Amino acid sequence: MDLEKLVEIIKAVAVEQKYKVTNGNKKFQIYIDKYNSAAFEVFISTPGYIQIHQWEGGDTEATGKYGRGVYSLRNYSDVVHFCSIMISSAAIRARRRS
């Protein structure tokens, strides 16, 4: 399985959904708003899968952090499911514009 291709799919969907995507191919962040938890850290793990961590809020963006891994993407279907989560998170997140 080509993990780099799967990462490209994740990044493309993130950009389409208006997430900000940080630089990096093996580890990067995608977020709309860290304070309201529409934020994920993505990295290719050594055993051959993509691990996703979700933002755990603090009192401000500066005091928050990413938590433990919540998703382990091992195939194309997993990536499609995660992209669906990103799309839904963008659509229903707190403080979105009308």
Side-chain angles (χ1 to χ4, degrees):
M1 180 172 52
D2 186 355
L3 294 178
E4 286 79 19
K5 185 173 224 67
L6 295 177
V7 164
E8 288 176 26
I9 293 168
I10 292 169
K11 285 182 175 183
V13 171
V15 168
E16 184 178 86
Q17 295 299 311
K18 309 286 191 257
Y19 283 84
K20 295 176 184 101
V21 180
T22 62
N23 291 331
N25 292 323
K26 300 226 181 246
K27 185 174 184 177
F28 59 94
Q29 298 174 9
I30 50 178
Y31 61 93
I32 293 176
D33 178 346
K34 291 179 183 175
Y35 187 73
N36 290 304
S37 297
F40 306 94
E41 184 176 61
V42 180
F43 75 92
I44 295 177
S45 185
T46 306
Y49 61 92
I50 301 168
Q51 192 167 359
I52 309 291
H53 298 255
Q54 191 164 6
W55 183 257
E56 290 185 359
D59 292 333
T60 66
E61 249 185 70
T63 62
K65 64 179 173 122
Y66 287 96
R68 296 175 60 169
V70 292
Y71 303 114
S72 174
L73 312 181
R74 298 176 187 274
N75 56 43
Y76 287 96
S77 296
D78 290 348
V79 169
V80 170
H81 284 294
F82 176 67
C83 288
S84 178
I85 289 167
M86 282 195 306
I87 292 166
S88 296
S89 294
I92 63 173
R93 69 184 172 84
R95 299 206 183 247
R96 65 185 184 266
R97 294 182 184 179
S98 300

